[in-house]
């Protein structure tokens, strides 16, 4: 298939690009600035905040499927730049939906568990969003734009994505491994429950959703819901590191610019039942993460 992937230099987008190309699909990869990820296909530098440039690029590319992991993902940064966040996270999905509608293409919009308030997670696909903070509000607005303009499209919500190698900037997993290896105290929230999600597994599930042109809402993430301390302990166990350096702290007491859902996480029963690319448990995810680190470091951890 001819598939357009946004956020092509990002953590999820770069892996999705590589995976789709390896499966023989013709990928048109949209990223910001120079190409940083390396995979077969056509790379175009397109600013998602530029409505005309984005619409023009998609119409010229004439994709059969569009996947949109491109996003302003800096949660606190979005709080400081609501206009940019709205353009990229809410308007751009609407532009992509309009183009998909005009071209008869299938659209897969990547979203987040942050659309929920975190009062009563983990959440299934039918749970009612109640976003808090600019990132969450704009991601939810992006979902709504896609639903209104391209009703047969899909929305894939993911959560706390981590992977090795990091794509440019550190992700939760790569940061945590680096911090734990230093042997200095590492503060992690014990009152924030999340679904840690291996980026390669997220890309595999997204690729299948795209190939099968499945519509509706999908939770596309890891199968385990844990707090961040538990995730840190599991990483220590996988890498043979001292979990004693982990210091439990409280999200409720942290002075973060943007609000975070506390009891979040996503239920994965739907994807587990319907997709061949099943959501992974935490041990399996961390083992794959470790193999990627080992491969990059020539076998040492
Ligand atoms: N990472 C997580 O923990 C997490 C959790 C829940 C949901 N999600 C969702 O998953 C999706 C993928 O996230 P990710 O982890 O891959 O994030 P990421 O690594 O930050 O990737 C997002 C990509 O979007 C690009 N982008 C941002 N603004 C742009 C603009 N104006 N024009 C063109 N490109 C622009 C970024 O470009 P640059 O590389 O140049 O910055 C980046 O490559 C997003 O929709 C996100 O909301 C992620």
């Amino acid at each position: 298939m001819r598939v357009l992937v946004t956020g092509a230099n990002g953590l999820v987008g770069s892996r999705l690009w590589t995976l789709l190309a390896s499966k023989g699909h013709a990928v048109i990869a949209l990223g910001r600035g120079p190409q940083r990820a390396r995979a077969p296909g056509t790379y175009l530098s397109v600013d998602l905040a530029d409505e005309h440039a984005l619409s023009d690029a998609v119409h010229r590319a004439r994709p059969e499927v569009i996947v949109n992991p491109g996003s302003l993902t800096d949660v606190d940064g979005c709080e400081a730049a609501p206009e940019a966040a709205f353009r990229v996270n809410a308007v751009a999905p609407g532009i992509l939906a309009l183009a998909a509608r005009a071209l008869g293409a299938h659209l897969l919009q990547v979203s987040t568990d942050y659309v929920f308030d975190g009062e009563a997670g983990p959440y299934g696909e039918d749970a009612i969003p109640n976003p808090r903070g600019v990132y969450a509000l704009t991601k939810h607005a992006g979902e709504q734009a896609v639903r209104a303009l391209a009703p047969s499209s899909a929305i894939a919500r993911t959560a706390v994505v981590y992977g090795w190698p990091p794509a440019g900037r550190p992700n939760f997993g790569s940061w945590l491994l680096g911090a734990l290896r230093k042997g200095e105290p590492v503060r992690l929230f014990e009152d924030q429950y999340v679904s840690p999600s291996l980026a390669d597994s997220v890309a595999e599930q997204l690729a299948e959703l795209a190939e099968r042109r499945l519509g509706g809402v999908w939770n596309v993430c890891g199968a385990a819901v844990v707090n961040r301390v538990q995730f840190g302990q599991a990483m220590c166990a996988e890498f043979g590191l001292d979990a004693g350096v982990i210091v439990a702290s409280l999200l409720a007491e942290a002075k973060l610019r943007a609000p975070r859902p506390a009891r979040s996480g996503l239920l994965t029963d739907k994807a587990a039942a319907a997709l061949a690319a099943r959501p992974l448990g935490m041990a399996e995810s961390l083992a794959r993460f470790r193999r990627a680190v080992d491969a990059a470091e020539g076998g040492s951890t």
Side-chain angles (χ1 to χ4, degrees), residues 86-181:
F86 186 74
R87 283 185 210 286
V88 175
N89 295 346
V91 177
I95 298 298
L96 293 172
L98 284 170
R101 193 183 173 95
L103 295 167
H106 179 72
L107 172 61
L108 174 51
Q109 166 68 12
V110 183
S111 192
T112 171
D113 64 330
Y114 275 35
V115 297
F116 299 109
D117 56 24
E119 299 289 335
Y123 297 96
E125 281 82 355
D126 294 336
I128 310 292
N130 183 27
R132 292 175 177 170
V134 172
Y135 171 73
L137 285 160
T138 56
K139 291 296 288 185
H140 184 240
E143 289 189 2
Q144 300 296 80
V146 166
R147 286 182 60 194
L149 296 167
S152 63
S153 58
I155 290 163
R157 295 184 182 130
T158 189
V160 188
V161 186
Y162 71 99
W164 196 278
R169 61 195 180 91
N171 54 71
F172 181 59
S174 66
W175 166 81
L176 182 57
L177 178 61
L180 291 169
R181 279 174 159 178

Side-chain angles (χ1 to χ4, degrees), residues 10-12 32 36 47-48 69 71 73 135 139 158 161 169:
L11 180 61
V12 171
R32 175 162 56 180
R36 301 197 302 279
D47 183 355
L48 291 175
S71 179
T73 54
Y135 171 73
K139 291 296 288 185
T158 189
V161 186
R169 61 195 180 91

Side-chain angles (χ1 to χ4, degrees), residues 52-65:
H52 298 292
L54 178 60
S55 179
D56 192 48
V58 181
H59 278 90
R60 281 174 193 269
R62 305 197 69 77
E64 297 160 283
V65 175

